[in-house]
Amino acid sequence: NVMKHVSGIPQLEKQLKNILHLSRVVIVPGNSDEQPWVKNEMGLTCVKVMESLITDNTVIAIMGGTTLAAVAEMMHPFKQSQKKPLFVSARGGLGEQVENQANTICAKMAEKADGHYRMLHVPDQLSEESYHSLSMEPSIRESLLLIQSAGMVIHGIGDAMTMAKRRRSSQELLDKIRKEHAVAEAFGYYFDQNGKVIHKVKTIGLQLEELNDERPVITVAGGKSKANAIEAFFKKGPDSVLVTDEGAAQQILQNN
Ligand code: G3H
């Protein structure tokens, strides 16, 4: 019963802002775990937030996942912006299927927003050696500089075990997640309930430490099943605009 809850949403947003210590929270009605269209609603809301925050720096760093794919699905040209946006893939592959990879999502966003894109062509799970030699490649260095110059960062949050399994991670990582009680995943980092990083997938691109600066970060993550993950991530996470749904919001409230 969506209508019954609508009037409570501003209140819910305020409470969530306080619990998670964020400057802005936007909640869409419903629970995306059960109602798939709610993910697209979060996607559209994210596009509107992006549109409202865009400045002269139209470089936008993009992560992967099904929620980011929904943002791409709902993307449209930004009304206010004079310059065309440039979507850059912020991390190399994390073992995701093509449709959930940052590269694919960037290209789709650019097409729908009438903008440009720049992919990051690095494979997942790099060895120390190839990590260093790839970082020296001129085309990759150029992409990395672009990512660092981005005026905005858009990313999702996942449940740790769900993400590790979806990415066909090693048994070693699955064991580590279980043993060290990882609950959240974002940017290829795994976090426990206190927001402590317990594992980091070695891949080239935007690192968590680079988020603690002035540029806006938009986090898009919803569904009751992600409540713990969202809470854990923001224990130490950067300030950001959180776009979520009622399903996650109600559950976070209940936990507090
Ligand atoms: O890093 C976070 C995950 O990419 C989130 O994936 O949007 O498919 O749940 P998801």
Side-chain angles (χ1 to χ4, degrees):
N1 189 334
V2 166
M3 286 316 289
K4 211 172 80 193
H5 296 294
V6 164
S7 62
I9 282 188
Q11 184 59 26
L12 205 52
E13 287 171 342
K14 237 169 107 186
Q15 289 171 295
L16 214 59
K17 243 179 66 168
N18 289 338
I19 292 173
L20 302 175
H21 306 288
L22 296 175
S23 44
R24 195 172 160 206
V25 174
V26 190
I27 300 172
V28 306
N31 175 8
S32 53
D33 285 344
E34 274 151 26
Q35 302 140 326
W37 65 87
V38 174
K39 209 177 249 187
N40 281 4
E41 283 303 313
M42 285 193 286
L44 183 60
T45 303
C46 177
V47 172
K48 288 180 179 155
V49 174
M50 289 165 83
E51 196 170 22
S52 73
L53 293 177
I54 196 128
T55 61
D56 279 348
N57 180 351
T58 51
V59 180
I60 306 171
I62 299 292
M63 296 294 305
T66 58
T67 315
L68 269 285
V71 177
E73 188 65 42
M74 305 308 282
M75 184 55 70
H76 56 67
F78 298 138
K79 284 183 204 86
Q80 309 301 337
S81 171
Q82 308 287 344
K83 283 198 307 194
K84 288 181 181 230
L86 171 58
F87 299 92
V88 295
S89 205
R91 287 302 291 266
L94 289 168
E96 297 271 16
Q97 278 180 277
V98 165
E99 59 271 30
N100 296 336
Q101 286 173 12
N103 278 339
T104 314
I105 292 170
C106 270
K108 188 164 182 185
M109 284 185 179
E111 187 191 329
K112 292 212 168 184
D114 186 26
H116 309 284
Y117 65 88
R118 172 88 193 218
M119 292 184 179
L120 187 59
H121 291 294
V122 291
D124 356 310
Q125 318 273 347
L126 295 169
S127 67
E128 199 72 37
E129 243 186 334
S130 35
Y131 177 86
H132 284 294
S133 54
L134 268 175
S135 313
M136 310 287 244
E137 280 296 320
S139 77
I140 289 176
R141 287 183 81 111
E142 219 178 279
S143 289
L144 290 176
L145 285 176
L146 205 51
I147 293 164
Q148 278 156 14
S149 78
M152 208 188 285
V153 179
I154 322 291
H155 76 98
I157 302 173
D159 168 75
M161 195 49 95
T162 308
M163 295 313 300
K165 284 187 176 155
R166 190 170 91 190
R167 291 170 179 163
R168 303 180 186 287
S169 309
S170 65
Q171 189 58 46
E172 199 188 337
L173 179 55
L174 298 182
D175 291 344
K176 195 171 176 189
I177 285 171
R178 214 169 275 123
K179 239 179 53 212
E180 298 189 36
H181 309 285
V183 292
E185 187 281 339
F187 296 91
Y189 291 68
Y190 288 84
F191 309 87
D192 70 10
Q193 196 63 64
N194 299 315
K196 191 180 131 204
V197 176
I198 68 118
H199 181 79
K200 178 175 179 294
V201 180
K202 202 162 198 64
T203 162
I204 289 175
L206 192 68
Q207 310 295 317
L208 195 62
E209 309 83 74
E210 295 175 277
L211 288 185
N212 291 313
D213 53 20
E214 291 302 291
R215 61 181 160 195
V217 177
I218 307 174
T219 308
V220 207
K224 191 176 172 183
S225 62
K226 283 192 189 178
N228 282 341
I230 294 168
E231 222 186 312
F233 177 73
F234 286 117
K235 284 272 163 66
K236 294 210 172 88
D239 187 25
S240 75
V241 179
L242 170 65
V243 177
T244 187
D245 63 14
E246 252 186 312
Q250 299 279 17
Q251 187 60 46
I252 293 170
L253 235 67
Q254 253 181 55
N255 296 348
N256 281 272

